[in-house]
Amino acid sequence: MAEVKYNFLGNTGLKVSNICLGTMTFGHEERFLDGGIDGTLNLTEAESHKILDRFAELGGNFIDTANLYHYGMSEAIIGTWLEKQDRNKFVIATKLAFPMDPKNLNAGGLSRQHIMWSINESLRRLKTDYIDLYQTHFWHRGTPIEETMSALNDLVKAGKTRYIGVSNVCGYQLQKIVDVCKMKGLEPVVTLQQQYSLLCRSSELEEFNVCKEEKIGILPWSPLKGGLLTGKYYRGMKQENLDELKSRIAASTKNSAVVTAASPDFKTMTDNEKFFNILDHLKTIAKKYNKTVVQVSLRWLLQKPSVTSVIIGVRTLAQLEDNMGASAGWCLTDEEMETLDKASAYDVGYPYDFIELMNTLGI
């Protein structure tokens, strides 16, 4: 396998592998099984450690988690692995904001109180005295952004986190965060973790333009749209064929109660010719390079402007090896990038179409 490529984390001097290991699959938590997802989809501690071991062997040094993932189990599993490693060799990112205790009204959100409590809990589970990248999981409408960013700034000053990132925000929210940090002299946001794939490109309109202007690194999550871009799905696929896959999408298609942004319902794609056209192009390009559809899908993201590292999610060592094969040693041509861009194009609407017209005319 080709050597893994490393990029600077946003506008910092910290180097991270351009493939980041997402760990939402680490841990078995009973409440997640009620929606019909097979428990075998979640990894035990031993299985998770094998994934982490191999990721490190392949050159990966960037690991992403969240306190929400199986309510701390993912962080705890990383912690029991991390304590056996050279801590300085790994970049650990985690997130906060989701409610963590239904009996405590303040055990969620982005208030100063919750931020201070939450990071100590994450540090305890991760068995470390600092987090490299501490990220807000979403915009919290109940908390003034000045309070949130000031609290996060204090965490950097205290040495509990090295850098600050945000996730799942819209354009005006991201720009407001940036401006507040500038005006108040607070630690800047260095990354945006956002859903981004050939099937989800709307963040290109606003958020990624802010990232470009402000030198914020993009960390795409759900780069394969829950598995739709793996090449396992095809025209005319029946429910029984889906069930055989035992995948997240198979579960969400069978039970609408577990449909999420990262686990879409395949039935919504069965008559979507655009989706299958994208797959056709991916398969053609994959065959040319002797690569997989997964690797081409990830490679398209890795060659996009401002993308620092793509967050993958795996359940097997084979999936990890496949994903890591996109990191380095080959590239898509400009023509192939354009082909995939056109196949995945979306209606931008007004005023974006007007702005693009003015740019095209050089006005």
Side-chain angles (χ1 to χ4, degrees):
M1 177 177 290
E3 183 179 350
V4 170
K5 183 181 177 183
Y6 301 91
N7 294 323
F8 288 112
L9 183 70
N11 193 30
T12 78
L14 185 68
K15 286 188 175 182
V16 296
S17 50
N18 67 348
I19 300 291
C20 173
L21 181 61
T23 60
M24 193 167 66
T25 57
F26 290 10
H28 180 94
E29 216 281 329
E30 289 299 327
R31 78 188 73 191
F32 284 89
L33 307 185
D34 295 339
I37 297 179
D38 188 336
T40 59
L41 294 180
N42 302 321
L43 302 178
T44 65
E45 182 175 68
E47 291 168 334
S48 301
H49 284 188
K50 288 180 181 179
I51 295 289
L52 286 162
D53 286 341
R54 186 57 179 151
F55 179 66
E57 288 173 1
L58 292 171
N61 75 334
F62 192 16
I63 300 165
D64 178 75
T65 186
N67 59 1
L68 174 71
Y69 296 166
H70 302 288
Y71 288 82
M73 294 179 101
S74 174
E75 287 184 331
I77 286 171
I78 294 170
T80 55
W81 179 83
L82 192 62
E83 67 178 346
K84 301 173 186 176
Q85 314 300 319
D86 181 346
R87 173 67 180 88
N88 277 333
K89 289 184 178 180
F90 298 95
V91 177
I92 307 299
T94 192
K95 300 180 285 293
L96 83 151
F98 278 95
M100 294 295 290
D101 181 356
K103 298 179 181 179
N104 184 348
L105 291 175
N106 289 309
L110 293 173
S111 68
R112 173 175 287 273
Q113 176 173 325
H114 180 60
I115 288 171
M116 297 303 176
W117 174 83
S118 184
I119 195 165
N120 287 331
E121 289 295 294
S122 288
L123 289 170
R124 175 181 60 81
R125 287 189 290 262
L126 288 165
K127 299 183 183 299
T128 182
D129 57 3
Y130 71 94
I131 289 165
D132 297 279
L133 178 65
Y134 201 43
Q135 307 157 102
T136 58
H137 216 145
F138 55 85
W139 175 277
H140 187 239
R141 61 184 176 82
T143 309
I145 194 61
E146 292 83 358
E147 177 182 344
T148 297
M149 302 317 296
S150 175
L152 292 172
N153 178 79
D154 289 349
L155 294 184
V156 176
K157 300 304 182 187
K160 292 188 176 184
T161 186
R162 302 295 193 245
Y163 301 101
I164 298 166
V166 298
S167 311
N168 305 311
V169 294
C170 65
Y172 91 84
Q173 292 169 341
L174 180 57
Q175 190 63 62
K176 185 169 184 177
I177 290 168
V178 168
D179 292 343
V180 164
C181 291
K182 286 182 178 179
M183 287 188 297
K184 294 188 172 295
L186 304 175
E187 286 291 321
V189 167
V190 302
T191 56
L192 168 66
Q193 188 173 144
Q194 200 87 336
Q195 184 177 175
Y196 189 29
S197 72
L198 282 161
L199 293 176
C200 182
R201 295 179 56 189
S202 57
S203 289
E204 294 173 346
L205 297 173
E206 291 280 351
E207 298 87 332
F208 294 170
N209 279 309
V210 176
C211 290
K212 180 181 178 182
E213 293 295 324
E214 303 293 345
K215 297 181 173 58
I216 295 171
I218 299 167
L219 306 176
W221 65 267
S222 197
L224 303 175
K225 192 59 177 177
L228 285 175
L229 295 171
T230 58
K232 295 185 291 187
Y233 303 92
Y234 51 86
R235 291 177 179 85
M237 197 170 198
K238 306 297 183 183
Q239 182 64 51
E240 55 266 29
N241 303 127
L242 275 174
D243 292 341
E244 291 172 3
L245 294 177
K246 295 184 178 180
S247 65
R248 183 191 300 172
I249 287 178
S252 59
T253 301
K254 194 170 185 178
N255 186 347
S256 60
V258 293
V259 172
T260 66
S263 302
D265 184 342
F266 183 69
K267 290 195 295 291
T268 65
M269 309 301 291
T270 53
D271 296 321
N272 189 330
E273 189 54 33
K274 175 183 173 181
F275 165 60
F276 291 110
N277 187 41
I278 291 171
L279 286 181
D280 289 341
H281 286 298
L282 287 171
K283 290 174 183 177
T284 298
I285 295 171
K287 185 176 181 180
K288 172 186 173 182
Y289 291 101
N290 194 27
K291 299 292 182 181
T292 65
V293 168
V294 166
Q295 290 168 343
V296 177
S297 299
L298 296 177
R299 191 68 229 171
W300 177 82
L301 281 172
L302 288 168
Q303 291 179 214
K304 283 296 180 178
S306 300
V307 169
T308 291
S309 186
V310 175
I311 302 172
I312 62 170
V314 301
R315 292 189 175 86
T316 67
L317 289 171
Q319 289 175 346
L320 176 65
E321 300 270 357
D322 189 12
N323 280 237
M324 294 296 283
S327 176
W330 64 290
C331 286
L332 300 177
T333 65
D334 291 343
E335 292 75 18
E336 288 161 346
M337 290 292 290
E338 184 177 359
T339 294
L340 292 173
D341 285 348
K342 288 182 177 178
S344 60
Y346 52 100
D347 182 14
V348 299
Y350 177 84
Y352 307 104
D353 52 359
F354 182 82
I355 294 170
E356 182 57 33
L357 175 60
M358 295 302 103
N359 290 336
T360 302
L361 295 175
I363 297 176

